[in-house]
Amino acid sequence: MKVAIIKYNAGNVKSVEIALERLGISPVLTDDPAEILSSDKIIFPGVGEASSAMEYLKNRKLDTVILNATQPFLGICLGMQLMCLHSAENDTVCLGIFQQNVMQFDVNKIHLKSPQIGWNNIYNLKTSLFKGVAENSYCYFVHGYFATLGEQTIATSNYGLEYSSALNHKNYFGVQFHPEKSADTGSKIIQNFLES
Amino acid sequence: MLTKRIIPCLDIKDGRTVKGTNFVNLRDAGDPVELASLYATEGADELVFLDITATNEKRKTLASLVNRIAHKINIPFTVGGGISSVDDVRLLLDAGADKISVNTAAFKRPELINELAGSFGSQCVVLAIDAKKHDDGEWYVYLNGGRVATDKKCIDWAVEGVSRGAGEILLTSMDHDGSKNGFAIDITSQISSLVSVPVIASGGGGTPEHFFEVLQHHADAALAASIFHFKEISIPDLKDFLRKKQIPVR
């Protein structure tokens, strides 16, 4: 199986690469459109800031590549947020695959620290991505922005308010948490994705 | 609900775990990879590796160890010890570390925090502060593993570090470290209320009650070393205890 990890200017993708290696897959880290679109699965990771990431994707036409993907596609963390309609992080228009908006945690409303860092549970799990994953399983999150709830929500979490911890539209999946760092639950989710 | 994190810390010297360990079920208790993997299986939420002999020559050895750890465990881990440049950090992140911690070098040149946060994001920059309480009742920053005093107040340095881009504070009380008399509640609480980022309490955890005490209101995570290495408290037992006390744990 050929798995492409989209290479761009957002954060530490090494953890994702190594997580796949732990599962016996040797992924290709690439920003080459042909290489990405010829792979069996595409992973779109990312940690960082939304507007500079979107600009980078557009400059390299990677936005079109992402929108043209027909194979199973998984966005992680910032990757998932960039697949939404719009992000409040520097008022960024995103890819619009998911019909959600990305908002910032308002510490005055949630009375919690932001960013959220650590293990939180996921519930109302839907789709094959969570096959064999128990309701309220814990995953590892690091984020100061969140996607709102909607029809495409396939997992929910609560951090002062309820938000989408995973989204799905057709072949596209997005997870707010880091499956590559979420112990056995995360490994199971990655495996489910690879089998989708 | 976000849970409180329990973080075992492993001191590394020349690629091996130091401080004695008491694990009869490990083939090689000195191998950080084996110990890390055991802690991850037992339910540790994160791990911290502190390279206590970090020198430039040895940093490549450390990077190869980090790479072995990353291939073995599936929870986040932080690597610290002697990190003083963007290049140091890149080497460790490329090897598979999720976060790095900076201490003395960041104090001596605070711009380092800005540079690291700018290059890699705040989420992977942990500011480690070693603190000691003076007779005036204030906590001060200590450097070089607690050997060198400064006249900087701990709260001031924590606030500055966060404003420069540190994503978490790892606060070790030198007064409590190794004492098993409980964490430093006062300074942990003060810093936690002043900064917007998580505070990891370290130093003094000797009983499950100590963990309960510091996690109840103040700290977002608690770190300990020898009590885990010597199996004085097992991670599953500690988490059961905390759960019964209504502390959210994974």
Side-chain angles (χ1 to χ4, degrees):
Chain A
M1 188 193 311
K2 183 174 163 190
V3 180
I5 299 176
I6 299 179
K7 184 174 154 187
Y8 67 121
N9 63 335
N12 183 12
V13 297
K14 200 68 196 177
S15 299
V16 177
E17 201 179 334
I18 292 176
L20 289 166
E21 286 171 8
R22 281 199 302 269
L23 296 172
I25 305 273
S26 301
V28 192
L29 182 62
T30 177
D31 57 3
D32 176 48
E35 179 126 48
I36 294 170
L37 289 174
S38 69
S39 60
D40 302 307
K41 319 275 171 189
I42 302 172
I43 297 184
F44 180 40
V47 170
E49 191 276 316
S51 67
S52 57
M54 270 312 295
E55 199 180 313
Y56 185 99
L57 293 174
K58 281 184 194 159
N59 286 342
R60 283 166 180 72
K61 306 262 189 296
L62 287 169
D63 55 338
T64 320
V65 173
I66 292 170
L67 292 168
N68 285 337
T70 52
Q71 55 275 76
F73 187 105
L74 177 65
I76 298 174
C77 196
L78 179 66
M80 183 203 87
Q81 296 185 358
L82 295 177
M83 293 159 75
C84 292
L85 272 182
H86 177 272
S87 172
E89 191 173 20
N90 293 316
D91 192 15
T92 305
V93 174
C94 299
L95 295 161
I97 294 165
F98 302 131
Q99 299 308 303
Q100 267 56 54
N101 284 315
V102 176
M103 321 279 285
Q104 186 169 20
F105 285 124
D106 181 347
V107 291
N108 295 318
K109 281 190 188 150
I110 63 172
H111 303 293
L112 294 165
K113 290 181 178 180
S114 180
Q116 167 175 235
I117 300 182
W119 297 81
N120 201 338
N121 43 351
I122 55 172
Y123 51 91
N124 294 340
L125 306 179
K126 293 171 192 162
T127 77
S128 61
L129 191 65
F130 297 106
K131 189 179 153 199
V133 176
E135 283 284 313
N136 291 309
S137 292
Y138 283 100
C139 288
Y140 187 79
F141 290 83
V142 181
H143 62 128
Y145 291 79
F146 64 93
T148 53
L149 293 174
E151 282 177 11
Q152 293 166 329
T153 302
I154 55 166
T156 305
S157 293
N158 189 320
Y159 190 63
L161 50 82
E162 287 193 314
Y163 64 92
S164 293
S165 40
L167 292 162
N168 169 234
H169 176 65
K170 294 182 182 167
N171 56 315
Y172 293 99
F173 293 91
V175 291
Q176 179 60 64
F177 52 85
H178 289 272
E180 74 277 16
K181 286 289 148 185
S182 295
D184 294 345
T185 299
S187 302
K188 177 74 185 156
I189 292 167
I190 295 174
Q191 249 160 358
N192 286 343
F193 170 72
L194 295 175
E195 284 164 15
S196 63
Chain B
M1 187 178 200
L2 182 69
T3 58
K4 301 279 186 175
R5 288 171 281 156
I6 301 298
I7 307 178
C9 176
L10 285 75
D11 284 350
I12 307 293
K13 186 178 178 183
D14 302 331
R16 308 273 298 169
T17 312
V18 294
K19 286 190 183 171
T21 51
N22 194 19
F23 285 103
V24 286
N25 51 340
L26 289 184
R27 275 182 291 121
D28 178 0
D31 180 9
V33 182
E34 266 203 70
L35 189 54
S37 165
L38 177 73
Y39 284 141
T41 310
E42 285 191 335
D45 296 305
E46 259 180 75
L47 296 169
V48 170
F49 298 88
L50 284 182
D51 187 19
I52 58 173
T53 51
T55 56
N56 286 331
E57 312 87 77
K58 288 181 180 151
R59 202 162 301 279
K60 286 214 169 93
T61 317
L62 179 63
S64 86
L65 172 66
V66 165
N67 197 251
R68 282 175 56 220
I69 293 166
H71 278 92
K72 187 77 185 189
I73 68 165
N74 52 14
I75 59 171
F77 68 98
T78 301
V79 181
I83 291 168
S84 60
S85 71
V86 168
D87 286 345
D88 288 346
V89 172
R90 185 169 287 119
L91 185 66
L92 295 170
L93 294 181
D94 281 349
D98 300 293
K99 313 178 194 181
I100 53 83
S101 75
V102 287
N103 190 331
T104 302
F107 187 88
K108 290 185 171 162
R109 199 175 65 80
E111 298 75 26
L112 176 64
I113 301 173
N114 305 68
E115 291 165 15
L116 297 178
S119 302
F120 310 108
S122 288
Q123 84 291 335
C124 72
V125 183
V126 179
L127 177 60
I129 303 177
D130 295 334
K132 208 168 182 163
K133 197 175 195 171
H134 285 187
D135 292 339
D136 63 359
E138 296 280 356
W139 289 82
Y140 290 88
V141 178
Y142 276 67
L143 303 178
N144 297 91
R147 292 188 294 274
V148 178
T150 75
D151 57 6
K152 184 101 163 175
K153 282 183 194 165
C154 199
I155 45 173
D156 294 341
W157 177 225
V159 168
E160 181 183 341
V162 171
S163 72
R164 287 180 179 276
E168 284 180 274
I169 300 282
L170 167 55
L171 178 69
T172 302
S173 161
M174 307 300 301
D175 293 340
H176 296 69
D177 203 23
S179 74
K180 295 182 189 168
N181 286 330
F183 293 92
I185 303 294
D186 59 343
I187 187 65
T188 305
S189 172
Q190 269 185 56
I191 291 183
S192 189
S193 63
L194 279 171
V195 299
S196 57
V197 303
V199 174
I200 304 163
S202 156
T207 66
E209 286 80 6
H210 293 153
F211 285 82
F212 169 65
E213 201 182 8
V214 80
L215 293 173
Q216 190 180 17
H217 299 298
H218 321 287
D220 300 282
L223 174 144
S226 55
I227 57 151
F228 295 134
H229 302 333
F230 286 107
K231 279 202 159 173
E232 290 168 30
I233 302 177
S234 80
I235 294 167
D237 289 349
L238 175 58
K239 287 197 161 182
D240 277 346
F241 177 86
L242 293 170
R243 211 172 279 123
K244 282 180 190 141
K245 292 275 201 176
Q246 312 296 323
I247 300 283
V249 288
R250 181 169 68 103

